[in-house]
Amino acid sequence: MEIQKIVSELEREKERIGRAIAALVGSASSILTTRKRRVARKTAAPAERKRRGGITPAGRRRLSEAMKKRWAERKRKKS
């Protein structure tokens, strides 16, 4: 009788482990698919880089000229 109880508990544990493995394999395949998409996205060369912030050389030149003009006017007003 004791052996029968142990065997039934082991079979329940086997089923539980089987379900856990199936769940893990299912989630692992979705993780791998997502990872493959990320790798594919990273390896694809971007067509054109977008500038984020910063200032172009022409913009820097315009800013420099505007600031020089501003400081010259302030200097004139003080004198």
Side-chain angles (χ1 to χ4, degrees):
M1 282 268 224
E2 189 69 29
I3 294 175
Q4 198 67 349
K5 185 177 177 183
I6 293 172
V7 169
S8 66
E9 285 180 23
L10 287 173
E11 285 178 349
R12 274 185 279 167
E13 185 71 14
K14 177 181 158 187
E15 289 174 12
R16 189 183 68 78
I17 291 172
R19 285 192 304 268
I21 290 173
L24 287 173
V25 167
S27 66
S29 67
S30 66
I31 289 171
L32 289 175
T33 304
T34 304
R35 188 174 293 154
K36 286 178 186 176
R37 273 190 241 128
R38 280 191 208 140
V39 169
R41 202 176 318 139
K42 285 181 182 179
T43 57
E48 187 177 315
R49 256 194 174 164
K50 293 182 181 180
R51 288 187 72 89
R52 292 185 182 183
I55 189 167
T56 64
R60 189 176 296 117
R61 196 175 314 110
R62 284 193 306 268
L63 183 61
S64 173
E65 290 168 3
M67 292 304 290
K68 285 177 185 176
K69 188 184 285 187
R70 177 178 175 223
W71 286 109
E73 288 176 14
R74 289 185 96 188
K75 194 173 183 180
R76 270 188 259 138
K77 285 182 182 178
K78 281 188 177 182
S79 299

